[in-house]
Amino acid sequence: MKFKAFLTENGVNLLEKRFLPAFDKMGKNCHLLLTKEHLFFLHNLLNGDGVQCIAQFRKDVLFDDYRISSQNEDRIAFSLDVALLYRAVKSSVSICTEFSGGLASNRLQIKLVKKLPPNCTQPMPFLTFETKGYKSAVIQDVPISKPLSRSQVIELQTALDSAQDLPPTLVQVQDPNQLQNFVDHMRHVGDVLNVTISKHGDLQVQISTTLIRLGTEFQRLSVIGEKSQAPVEDRNLSAQARSERAIARGDAQSVQVSVKHFSKSLQCHLTKPDSAFYGIAPQGACLTVIFQFMVPGTRQTDKSISLHCRLPVLDPGSN
C-alpha cells in the first residue's frame, strides 16, 4: 500500500484557504478516500445521524506526480483529525514559502508512511508532508487511523455511491449568504427548521414555535429536474397557503431539519462556491445541498470539484 504525490499551487490554495477550513467546522474527524483518479473527503458518511458532507477532487486539481497502489483496486482509505491536517498544511505551506523565498518552485510532497513514535513498540501510520530546503528538510506528520480493510473500503464506497443520488427537483440559490443571515438571526428562536421546495422554483425556510412563526422565501429560482408552472390563482396567496396547495398537488415537498444541522451545512460557504442547489430526496428521506463551482472567468461548471451535504430529517411527531 503506497501513496505519494506533490501538491500543486492550486491544490494548496484549495485545501488551505477553502476546503480544510470548511471541514474543520463540520466536525473533528473525516475519512480520506484515495483512488487512481480522485481524492474524497467524507464526513460522517458511515453514521446515519448528523450532517453528511462529501467533497471530491480530480487528482490533477490537487496533485502532480500522483502515485498510488494497493491490493484493493488501488484504493486507500483512512480517518484522521481534520484540525491536525489543516494545521500541518498551513505550517508546511508557511515553511515552503520561507524556504523558497516566496517562489512556488519549492514543492510540497505528501505521502503515506509508517513510523515508530516515541515510547511505542509498534509502527504507526502517518500522512506526512515534506518540504525540502537548500540545506534541510522539514517534515510534518499527521497521525491517521489504520488504513481500512477491503471490506471496510467497500462499505465506504457503497455509502458514497448511495449518497450521490440526486433529488428529483433542485432549486438554485445564487446568493447563499441570504440564508446564512436568516439562520444567524433566527437560530435562537427555535431548534427546528421547516424547509419547503416546489417544482415552481420556490424555496421556503421557516422557524416556528408556539408563539411565533418566522421565515424567508425565495421565488422563481432556477429549477433542475422535475418542474411545473404555478397556477395563476395561487399568485395572490400567502407563502404558507401556496406551499400547502403545492404539497397537496404533489408539486412540492416539505421536511423538518435541525437548525444546528442546517447552520453546519452553511459552513460549506467557506469553500467559496458560486451557488447552491437545494433539493429533498424522494419520500423526504433527507435534505440535499449541492454546491456549484465555476471555472474562474467563465460560466462553465468546474467538473473537477464537487461538494454536497445531506441533512437528516426530523420526525414531525417528535417535535
Side-chain angles (χ1 to χ4, degrees), residues 270-284:
L270 292 170
T271 64
K272 302 176 184 175
D274 291 283
S275 67
F277 291 86
Y278 286 79
I280 297 172
Q283 285 79 52

Side-chain angles (χ1 to χ4, degrees), residues 7 12-13 16-17 85-104 106-108 129-133 138 140:
L7 273 165
V12 167
N13 180 61
E16 183 200 9
K17 304 292 186 185
L85 176 62
Y86 184 26
R87 194 182 312 157
V89 170
K90 286 197 296 183
S91 177
S92 298
V93 169
S94 175
I95 293 166
C96 192
T97 304
E98 185 178 331
F99 276 176
S100 61
L103 300 175
N106 194 327
R107 298 200 301 170
L108 179 59
F129 294 84
E130 184 172 339
T131 310
K132 293 182 179 179
V138 176
Q140 304 271 330

Side-chain angles (χ1 to χ4, degrees), residues 37-57:
E37 299 298 330
H38 295 95
L39 176 143
F40 297 85
F41 285 92
L42 307 172
H43 171 70
N44 208 30
L45 202 60
L46 297 179
N47 187 350
D49 185 32
V51 179
Q52 296 180 340
C53 190
I54 299 164
Q56 174 181 316
F57 302 89

Side-chain angles (χ1 to χ4, degrees), residues 58-265:
R58 210 168 56 206
K59 66 178 182 182
D60 55 353
V61 173
L62 299 179
F63 307 110
D64 58 23
D65 199 10
Y66 181 93
R67 302 178 187 183
I68 184 171
S69 64
S70 80
Q71 294 181 340
N72 189 15
E73 299 177 357
D74 293 332
R75 294 179 297 183
I76 301 173
F78 50 86
S79 63
L80 48 64
D81 185 316
V82 181
L84 293 181
L85 176 62
Y86 184 26
R87 194 182 312 157
V89 170
K90 286 197 296 183
S91 177
S92 298
V93 169
S94 175
I95 293 166
C96 192
T97 304
E98 185 178 331
F99 276 176
S100 61
L103 300 175
S105 57
N106 194 327
R107 298 200 301 170
L108 179 59
Q109 188 181 56
I110 178 173
K111 58 185 176 180
L112 279 177
V113 300
K114 267 192 171 184
K115 292 185 177 182
L116 191 65
N119 305 317
C120 289
T121 58
Q122 293 290 330
M124 303 289 288
F126 292 90
L127 189 64
T128 292
F129 294 84
E130 184 172 339
T131 310
K132 293 182 179 179
Y134 179 64
K135 294 183 178 180
S136 62
V138 176
I139 293 173
Q140 304 271 330
D141 290 328
V142 179
I144 64 173
S145 72
K146 179 182 177 182
L148 271 59
S149 66
R150 177 183 293 270
S151 61
Q152 290 171 323
V153 171
I154 291 173
E155 181 187 9
L156 191 66
Q157 184 70 57
T158 302
L160 174 60
D161 293 342
S162 66
Q164 306 281 26
D165 294 339
L166 292 177
T169 297
L170 289 163
V171 296
Q172 184 180 24
V173 178
Q174 292 284 4
D175 183 9
N177 287 325
Q178 290 177 275
L179 276 173
Q180 179 82 63
N181 293 335
F182 170 75
V183 174
D184 285 346
H185 284 97
M186 300 303 147
R187 67 173 63 184
H188 302 299
V189 174
D191 298 325
V192 177
L193 206 61
N194 294 290
V195 180
T196 304
I197 295 172
S198 79
K199 297 177 183 179
H200 317 318
D202 296 341
L203 168 65
Q204 295 175 15
V205 182
Q206 188 179 88
I207 293 179
S208 300
T209 69
T210 52
L211 299 175
I212 192 171
R213 176 184 289 165
L214 297 168
T216 187
E217 181 184 33
F218 300 83
Q219 287 186 276
R220 293 180 289 278
L221 300 173
S222 296
V223 178
I224 292 179
E226 296 179 10
K227 60 183 76 174
S228 64
Q229 290 289 330
V232 176
E233 60 268 24
D234 283 9
R235 290 179 182 173
N236 296 322
L237 299 177
S238 68
Q240 182 76 15
R242 275 188 286 107
S243 66
E244 289 174 356
R245 285 168 61 90
I247 291 169
R249 289 193 306 270
D251 284 341
Q253 275 188 288
S254 184
V255 292
Q256 293 184 335
V257 297
S258 158
V259 172
K260 182 180 178 182
H261 288 164
F262 195 87
S263 182
K264 181 175 281 192
S265 72

